Amino acid sequence: MPARNILALCLAALCLSCSRWDLGLEIPFVATWNGEPLTCDSADPALTDLRFYVSNPQLVTAEGKARDIGFTVEMPWQNDVVALVDLEDGKGACQNGTAELATQVVGVTRAGEYNTLRFTVGVPFRLNHSNPLTASPPLDDPDMHWHWRSGYKFLSAGVRTASDGFWIHVGSTGCEGTVGNITGCRFPNRIEVELKGFVPGESQVAVDLAKLTSGVDLSDGMATDCSSGPAEEACDAPFRAFGIDFATGRQDGEQSVFSLR
Amino acid sequence: MNRLTGSLAVIAGLLGLGLWLWLQDTGWRWDLPDDLPPPQVPADNPMHWAKVELGRWLFYDTRLSGNKTMSCASCHIQALAFTDGKPRSIGSTGEVHPRSSMSLVNVAYASRLDWANPLLDRLEDQALTPLLGDNPVEMGLGGHEDRVTELLREERYSQLVTRAFPNDADPHSLLNAVRAIASFVRTITSFDSPYDRYLAGEAGAISDSAVRGMELFFSERLECFHCHGGFNFTDSTTHVNTRIERVGYHNTGLYNLDGNGAYPSDNTGLFDMTGERRDMGRFKAPTLRNIAVTAPYMHDGSVATLDDVIAHYQRGGRRLDDGPYAGDGRLSPFKSEFVTGFELSDDERADLVAFLESLTDESLLNAPDLANPFAQ
């Protein structure tokens, strides 16, 4: 067989393997309030902010076999490690937001029968202490960086009701070392999400702010905020909703904020 | 000409050329007392006169705040030793900061920055918080970062940018603006107070009362120098010859809200960064240089005068009888072992204040090269 034919066969095999092994994924995210879509223009409550970093995405088969999803590079929203989801459009109650939206993460994995989606809300430690003035997108947004704590806000969210409000910034705290040489953080505060019943191409991930604020008094007229600082009592309930024990900064239960729809 | 003289001529020529180049382009020379080592400077941001001058303009430029109402100098006023005279600083949007503006004097020698941030040891990193921080909003530049690029392209700045960052492909960046501001702030040094002149041998530079106050300050009875020690009157000091870096944070017994040492929740000091209970209420000892012009005192500006500060330490902690912060700080379990209280007569207190006033450096408060260039 001439060498040219062998080459053609090989190329054909390679293409076959592409179609057989690769599953392209576009995973949409939507903000909700008790299951109903929530936007910056919603009446009561209104979204005031919802941005978060997604990393370590995986799909899991019925047999429990986990496969990594590789992010495709989609500048400026995602590099191959971390994606920024931005569900605020700067309108209405989202006063300090931006018009640009990033409503999905995009990736690829091996073809297969999957029924569970996993991901982490957070920036991996090795990238979390980058300088936002020199980091590449999506880690170059100074608004998503905690300059004095060193590291990114993994999640920045808020709602406003007619007479009350709530906002939360989640990120690693209790970090040690110095900026540029951070050696570790006592309270990692990364949110691990596992969503069963995921159907590629059909399922959306809902982020329900009513679940997030279920333990927060949104009727006392006293705006509540949580910025992940130690002993901030206002953080206990929302962190519980993320499945995190706020006293340790580690996940010890199921999160209830993210679900499929 | 034989070979030896030829070689000597070449060597002399090279030396001359080297000397000429050195004089032309050292970029920066510190103006410091002879016996004082220069401060540490990050390797990626060496000092250069053009950078310092650019930084001075930027330090005083209100366009670095979101609503163009305030500059770095709004909270760091030269005549007040680069503090703002307020108990707590107020940001560009009116938000009140939990803390009092820190003096920038000799901050180049600080081993850590801010009142209680163990992570920050470079001004280049620290500057991002007042510029971009949103909780609280200080200058509120977040979302307006592009304005910095426009600013640096303006004629006044672009020539300095070219001199300061000659090898940078993209020199009109926020990163370089921050580098320039940090370089300028490193030049805010103060070592020419009457006390310094007294140490240098000028016997009449400070009053007899101040000399007695100096002896009290450095006594084991008062213990002031344990935290406010060294040439910069703070134990968090570093310089190019530092071998072992020292950082000190101290609870001075200002608050004891719950009998267990709690501080007001928006101002817990080092605890806010580490989450360790033992760090409750621990703050950095600020430099005492120019302390007489930086009232009110403490991290939250809650002590009005130097007399009151001394009374606080004399008692070994502050007792507040009413209000939300009531409690006896003297009984705090987290209090520093150096804050135990002491006996002090009225005359001795006056002597101690006279000594602290002898640390005021008029040349710093009036230095033209640290002043607002827009007004010159």
Side-chain angles (χ1 to χ4, degrees):
Chain A
M1 196 187 288
R4 213 176 351 172
N5 291 0
I6 295 175
L7 188 67
L9 262 177
C10 287
L11 278 174
L14 208 64
C15 287
L16 264 177
S17 71
C18 301
S19 57
R20 242 178 72 197
W21 291 105
D22 285 0
L23 172 64
L25 287 162
E26 292 178 353
I27 304 170
F29 287 77
V30 58
T32 61
W33 183 266
N34 286 325
E36 296 299 317
L38 179 71
T39 71
C40 304
D41 287 320
S42 297
D44 185 10
L47 188 71
T48 55
D49 191 9
L50 186 53
R51 289 168 291 170
F52 51 91
Y53 286 107
V54 172
S55 56
N56 301 323
Q58 288 186 326
L59 287 181
V60 188
T61 66
E63 297 77 44
K65 185 162 259 180
R67 298 243 189 259
D68 289 343
I69 298 172
F71 281 143
T72 48
V73 177
E74 304 272 342
M75 290 300 178
W77 298 108
Q78 58 181 57
N79 60 31
D80 57 350
V81 178
V82 62
L84 177 60
V85 175
D86 181 342
L87 299 177
E88 59 75 27
D89 58 10
K91 293 178 186 157
C94 298
Q95 285 168 347
N96 297 313
T98 50
E100 293 80 11
L101 290 165
T103 59
Q104 61 178 16
V105 301
V106 183
V108 64
T109 191
R110 287 173 67 175
E113 296 288 317
Y114 302 106
N115 65 4
T116 299
L117 172 68
R118 280 184 195 154
F119 57 88
T120 303
V121 175
V123 176
F125 177 76
R126 69 185 173 86
L127 291 179
N128 191 32
H129 303 284
S130 321
N131 181 346
L133 298 191
T134 53
S136 61
L139 297 173
D140 63 339
D141 182 353
D143 212 27
M144 288 298 283
H145 195 268
W146 263 339
H147 308 286
W148 66 99
R149 288 205 191 278
S150 169
Y152 291 87
K153 297 170 193 165
F154 299 156
L155 175 138
S156 177
V159 285
R160 196 166 71 197
T161 65
S163 60
D164 209 336
F166 167 81
W167 61 257
I168 185 169
H169 292 162
V170 178
S172 293
T173 63
C175 300
E176 285 153 7
T178 53
V179 173
N181 300 289
I182 297 292
T183 53
C185 300
R186 283 185 67 210
F187 308 99
N189 292 336
R190 288 188 182 79
I191 305 159
E192 302 298 339
V193 179
E194 181 173 280
L195 301 173
K196 294 195 166 69
F198 179 76
V199 182
E202 289 181 24
S203 298
Q204 289 186 320
V205 178
V207 191
D208 200 284
L209 279 287
K211 291 270 173 38
L212 175 60
T213 55
S214 61
V216 177
D217 189 342
L218 281 178
S219 61
D220 63 356
M222 302 267 288
T224 306
D225 60 75
C226 156
S227 54
S228 299
E232 262 189 75
E233 284 173 18
C235 289
D236 288 339
F239 270 69
R240 179 48 52 214
F242 285 131
I244 295 175
D245 177 2
F246 186 62
T248 64
R250 287 168 203 279
Q251 193 125 7
D252 65 352
E254 294 278 312
Q255 66 78 30
S256 59
V257 178
F258 295 84
S259 63
L260 295 176
R261 57 181 264 144
Chain B
M1 196 159 60
N2 65 32
R3 185 173 287 182
L4 181 65
T5 31
S7 306
L8 283 175
V10 168
I11 289 166
L14 283 173
L15 281 174
L17 182 67
L19 183 66
W20 182 79
L21 282 172
W22 182 71
L23 286 171
Q24 287 295 306
D25 204 31
T26 44
W28 183 253
R29 225 171 307 162
W30 290 104
D31 179 20
L32 295 168
D34 293 340
D35 55 349
L36 192 69
Q40 292 183 7
V41 174
D44 62 357
N45 190 24
M47 296 294 287
H48 190 282
W49 66 265
K51 224 185 274 184
V52 170
E53 184 61 6
L54 175 64
R56 180 165 74 119
W57 284 92
L58 293 170
F59 185 86
Y60 284 96
D61 197 324
T62 55
R63 291 172 294 179
L64 284 187
S65 61
N67 57 13
K68 305 186 185 179
T69 59
M70 79 190 291
S71 67
C72 306
S74 303
C75 294
H76 298 290
I77 302 164
Q78 182 182 15
L80 301 178
F82 294 92
T83 63
D84 66 3
K86 299 185 177 84
R88 297 171 173 214
S89 296
I90 298 170
S92 60
T93 58
E95 213 171 326
V96 180
H97 200 289
R99 305 227 173 123
S100 188
S101 166
M102 285 198 99
S103 173
L104 299 181
V105 167
N106 295 339
V107 74
Y109 287 101
S111 54
R112 288 294 185 281
L113 303 165
D114 287 359
W115 279 104
N117 193 327
L119 306 180
L120 285 172
D121 62 351
R122 284 181 310 209
L123 288 163
E124 289 79 355
D125 299 315
Q126 194 281 337
L128 299 182
T129 296
L131 283 169
L132 301 170
D134 56 3
N135 183 28
V137 172
E138 297 182 51
M139 295 176 72
L141 185 67
H144 305 281
E145 294 88 349
D146 292 348
R147 195 192 295 161
V148 175
T149 302
E150 290 167 29
L151 207 62
L152 294 179
R153 289 208 170 105
E154 281 181 14
E155 196 181 342
R156 171 181 289 146
Y157 293 143
S158 64
Q159 293 186 347
L160 288 170
V161 169
T162 308
R163 297 297 295 266
F165 305 101
N167 302 317
D168 195 325
D170 174 29
H172 305 96
S173 61
L174 178 57
L175 180 66
N176 282 346
V178 162
R179 285 171 168 161
I181 294 169
S183 299
F184 167 67
V185 170
R186 288 195 175 95
T187 71
I188 302 174
T189 56
S190 171
F191 297 104
D192 191 26
S193 66
Y195 164 76
D196 292 297
R197 294 201 297 278
Y198 174 80
L199 283 191
E202 196 184 313
I206 66 176
S207 67
D208 292 346
S209 170
V211 173
R212 290 192 298 272
M214 179 181 75
E215 282 156 8
L216 284 167
F217 183 89
F218 289 106
S219 71
E220 291 291 345
R221 169 153 68 104
L222 269 63
E223 315 259 27
C224 309
F225 69 100
H226 285 290
C227 304
H228 294 287
F231 67 85
N232 200 28
F233 293 90
T234 164
D235 55 356
S236 297
T237 298
T238 183
H239 52 70
V240 290
N241 297 336
T242 298
R243 285 191 306 111
I244 299 166
E245 186 180 70
R246 288 207 54 206
V247 186
Y249 297 101
H250 316 278
N251 178 315
T252 62
L254 277 176
Y255 295 100
N256 185 3
L257 267 49
D258 56 355
N260 292 315
Y263 267 48
S265 62
D266 60 345
N267 248 332
T268 56
L270 193 60
F271 174 77
D272 182 53
M273 296 303 297
T274 66
E276 303 251 22
R277 193 76 195 148
R278 63 173 190 216
D279 292 335
M280 178 59 71
R282 290 177 69 196
F283 290 88
K284 207 173 74 172
T287 178
L288 297 185
R289 287 183 172 275
N290 308 285
I291 195 72
V293 301
T294 70
Y297 299 103
M298 305 301 178
H299 64 275
D300 57 359
S302 64
V303 181
T305 65
L306 283 180
D307 258 350
D308 295 343
V309 172
I310 295 167
H312 156 66
Y313 287 119
Q314 185 176 350
R315 188 179 179 277
R318 178 169 66 179
R319 193 173 88 189
L320 296 169
D321 290 323
D322 326 287
Y325 301 151
D328 191 348
R330 185 167 61 172
L331 307 176
S332 167
F334 304 115
K335 200 180 64 171
S336 161
E337 67 274 28
F338 294 118
V339 183
T340 52
F342 45 79
E343 304 265 321
L344 196 72
S345 70
D346 288 349
D347 284 349
E348 286 176 320
R349 185 184 299 182
D351 290 342
L352 192 54
V353 170
F355 167 66
L356 293 171
E357 286 171 345
S358 81
L359 299 175
T360 301
D361 178 352
E362 293 293 335
S363 71
L364 166 94
L365 307 180
N366 300 299
D369 56 352
L370 301 178
N372 183 357
F374 292 98
Q376 285 175 335

